């Protein structure tokens, strides 16, 4: 057994207390062995002036959309998708997706993210990028059937399920998969019911967008005579293994339904603000007992993948939505970005405790914007930035040490992504 000792810092415990402690990691098993006064490790990571916390979880993104960062802004969701994003995405190749995903991984590891959920195309290229980078991910091929004939609509669903079956457990088990119908309004109902049932039989969970905009809710209410999540429940789409992105426009009955089914919601505050989609009732969801995670959504609607930004946005927007400054307090925001995300994605991460996955972010508090430190958790929610992360560890392996990436060649990846993005924009024009 090879061990890693993270030494000299403070540790954020699962109960949100902060104590002076070291962390010992079993690098072979990828697990935390001990927290506190630990035996000496084979290797050490210095954590002086730092807080060791669970690695952040970006529970909803489209990683390769980094290539479309800043490509089209300041439009509502429908027009933005139809006029800009979908035409560009139609030109994407597997090599583009690989390059964009690698860029996303550089950015996420630099910001302390150790796990993410991706819904996109050319997903095997994403899985390969994840394997090389060393992070953990829940991946799915996104299905859209609008505008497709029966045969290609069916083939798209089959591709999603085939990918899920083939790649679950990939990269030494760090990759897990989903069936990923894009949303209730972009996938044909009959196919949705059929392939959801097939996914259940194969033990594959679901990741989909739901109740993101008011404009998406109305047509479902009109055609089905029920709210979108009641309809999703009829289609068998809500179980405790599933997670849906957004959940902005949910009513009280839908919140109770989510709580009863155990389906997690991934809140994406920056994307919801930028596309003016609305304010998710995060405080009400949490009070009802729904697992809430955080996601950046794609870089084109954010426009970065800094989960610390998201955490602050979630706390701020949650207060505005509830018209209550006590809503979504600092601890809740940190919980959503760590344990909440890990629970939504089904990873035994998100808590610094013995036996959990050794997925960790070591945050350097030796900075002017983090001085003084009355309360570490307050700083995590309101003042820490992704660039304050000093070391990132996933599955017991050091992915970034003293701000230097270990597994990825940042300069090469940035250059390749910039070239591919320029070429993509030219083709899409
Ligand atoms: Zn999305």
């Amino acid at each position: 057994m090879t061990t890693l000792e993270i030494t000299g810092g403070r540790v954020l415990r699962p109960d949100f207390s902060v104590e002076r402690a070291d962390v010992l990691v079993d690098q072979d098993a990828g697990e935390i062995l001990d927290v506190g006064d630990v035996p000496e490790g084979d290797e050490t990571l210095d954590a002086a002036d730092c807080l060791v916390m669970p690695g952040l979880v970006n529970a909803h993104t489209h990683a390769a959309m980094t290539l479309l960062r800043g490509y089209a802004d300041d439009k509502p969701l429908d027009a933005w998708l139809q006029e800009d994003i979908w035409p560009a995405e139609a030109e994407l190749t597997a090599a583009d997706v690989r390059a964009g995903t690698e860029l996303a991984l550089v950015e996420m590891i630099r910001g302390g993210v150790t796990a993410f959920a991706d819904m996109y195309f050319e997903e095997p290229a994403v899985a390969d990028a994840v394997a090389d980078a060393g992070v953990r991910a829940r991946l799915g091929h996104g299905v859209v059937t609008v505008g497709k004939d029966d045969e290609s609509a069916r083939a798209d669903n089959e591709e999603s399920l085939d990918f899920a079956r083939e790649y679950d457990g990939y990269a030494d088990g760090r990759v897990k998969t989903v069936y990923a119908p894009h949303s209730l309004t972009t996938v044909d109902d009959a196919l949705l019911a059929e392939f959801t049932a097939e996914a259940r039989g194969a033990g594959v969970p679901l990741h989909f967008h739901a109740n993101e905009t008011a404009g998406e809710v109305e047509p479902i209410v009109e055609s089905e005579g029920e709210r979108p999540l009641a309809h999703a429940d009829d289609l068998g789409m809500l179980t405790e293994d599933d997670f849906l992105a957004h959940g902005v426009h949910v009513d009280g009955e839908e919140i109770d339904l989510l709580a009863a089914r155990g389906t997690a919601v991934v809140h994406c505050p920056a994307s919801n603000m930028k596309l003016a989609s609305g304010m998710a009732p995060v405080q009400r969801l949490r009070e009802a007992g729904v697992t809430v995670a955080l996601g950046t959504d794609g870089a084109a609607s954010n426009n970065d993948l800094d989960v610390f930004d998201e955490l602050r946005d979630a706390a701020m927007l949650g207060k505005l939505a509830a018209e209550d400054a006590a809503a979504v307090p600092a601890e809740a925001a940190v919980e959503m970005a760590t344990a909440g995300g890990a629970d939504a994605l089904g990873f035994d991460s998100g808590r610094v405790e013995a036996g959990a996955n050794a997925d960790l972010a070591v945050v350097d508090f030796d900075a002017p914007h983090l001085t003084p430190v009355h309360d570490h958790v307050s700083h995590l929610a309101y003042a820490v930035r992704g660039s304050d992360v000093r070391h990132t560890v996933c599955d017991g392996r050091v992915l970034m040490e003293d701000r230097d990436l270990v597994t990825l060649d940042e300069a090469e990846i940035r250059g390749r992504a910039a070239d591919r993005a320029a070429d993509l924009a030219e083709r899409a024009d």
Side-chain angles (χ1 to χ4, degrees):
M1 178 173 72
T2 315
T3 56
L4 172 73
E5 184 189 356
I6 304 171
T7 173
R10 289 183 162 76
V11 174
L12 179 69
R13 303 310 308 265
D15 66 357
F16 292 92
S17 63
V18 170
E19 62 189 54
R20 223 328 274 131
D22 298 332
V23 178
L24 191 70
V25 166
D26 176 350
Q27 294 199 283
D28 304 321
E31 280 181 16
I32 297 170
L33 280 173
D34 199 1
V35 181
D37 194 7
V38 308
E40 200 174 312
D42 300 320
E43 289 172 34
T44 57
L45 263 186
D46 176 47
D49 296 322
C50 295
L51 180 70
V52 183
M53 68 178 291
L56 301 178
V57 179
N58 186 357
H60 177 74
T61 190
H62 316 280
M65 286 187 91
T66 50
L67 296 188
L68 297 171
R69 193 199 315 268
Y71 175 71
D73 300 299
D74 310 326
K75 283 185 173 185
L77 180 66
D78 253 9
W80 178 75
L81 283 176
Q82 288 176 28
E83 293 165 18
D84 304 293
I85 299 303
W86 286 345
E89 286 181 340
E91 297 291 328
L92 278 173
T93 65
D96 291 331
V97 168
R98 173 79 193 235
T101 301
E102 285 177 343
L103 178 61
L105 288 165
V106 165
E107 188 181 354
M108 289 196 283
I109 293 169
R110 291 186 73 76
V113 172
T114 53
F116 72 107
D118 192 66
M119 179 200 294
Y120 216 51
F121 323 107
E122 307 291 356
E123 216 50 35
V126 179
D128 285 335
V130 168
D132 289 350
V135 298
R136 211 177 286 284
R138 178 72 76 172
L139 307 179
H141 166 87
V143 177
V144 175
T145 65
V146 279
K148 286 181 180 159
D149 61 33
D150 289 357
E151 197 182 329
S152 53
R154 175 167 291 278
D156 201 14
N157 280 283
E158 278 167 357
E159 185 175 349
S160 191
L161 211 53
D162 286 348
F163 170 80
R165 285 198 187 99
E166 191 178 334
Y167 279 85
D168 197 56
Y170 192 66
D172 302 323
R174 283 182 286 107
V175 167
K176 289 182 184 278
T177 56
V178 284
Y179 164 53
H182 180 267
S183 74
L184 295 165
T185 52
T186 51
V187 181
D188 173 81
D189 253 20
L191 289 171
L192 207 43
E194 180 186 334
F195 281 89
T196 296
E198 211 174 310
R200 294 286 168 242
V204 174
L206 267 65
H207 174 194
F208 55 100
H209 297 89
N211 301 48
E212 180 175 0
T213 63
E216 164 196 339
V217 171
E218 287 151 19
I220 296 173
V221 172
E222 242 166 66
S223 68
E224 307 302 330
E226 59 183 353
R227 297 279 303 177
L229 294 186
H231 185 53
D233 194 41
D234 289 347
L235 294 169
M237 295 173 70
L238 303 182
T239 76
E240 61 179 2
D241 298 328
D242 307 323
F243 54 102
L244 60 89
H246 299 300
V248 174
H249 300 276
V250 287
D251 70 7
E253 281 180 28
E254 288 176 298
I255 291 173
D256 291 343
L257 182 60
L258 287 168
R261 296 289 180 263
T263 307
V265 171
V266 185
H267 177 42
C268 304
S271 177
N272 295 161
M273 288 191 278
K274 185 160 186 263
L275 297 167
S277 301
M279 298 187 281
V282 172
Q283 182 68 17
R284 287 172 59 206
L285 284 162
R286 286 178 55 87
E287 280 168 2
V290 176
T291 297
V292 183
L294 292 183
T296 58
D297 214 347
S301 62
N302 191 300
N303 287 358
D304 62 38
L305 306 179
D306 186 341
V307 174
F308 279 106
D309 260 7
E310 222 60 39
L311 210 154
R312 176 171 11 191
D313 287 347
M316 304 269 194
L317 189 61
K319 297 173 199 318
L320 200 57
E323 296 183 32
D324 177 6
V328 193
E331 208 173 281
V334 175
E335 198 269 343
M336 290 190 281
T338 54
D343 291 349
L345 270 50
F347 292 131
D348 189 13
S349 310
R351 296 167 183 87
V352 185
E353 62 187 1
N357 287 333
D359 297 0
L360 304 163
V362 181
V363 180
D364 192 353
F365 274 68
D366 184 15
H369 61 281
L370 304 178
T371 304
V373 186
H374 295 298
D375 180 339
H376 285 84
V377 176
S378 163
H379 276 2
L380 291 178
Y382 298 115
V384 168
R385 304 164 187 157
S387 54
D388 296 317
V389 176
R390 182 177 168 194
H391 316 299
T392 303
V393 175
C394 183
D395 202 28
R397 183 177 179 198
V398 181
L399 306 185
M400 180 174 75
E401 181 167 4
D402 286 320
R403 302 291 301 154
D404 285 332
L405 296 184
V406 177
T407 52
L408 300 174
D409 184 334
E410 178 174 346
E412 191 187 311
I413 287 169
R414 282 172 60 182
R416 185 163 51 233
D419 289 347
R420 292 234 159 236
D423 199 60
L424 174 66
E426 218 164 272
R427 296 200 307 274
D429 255 357

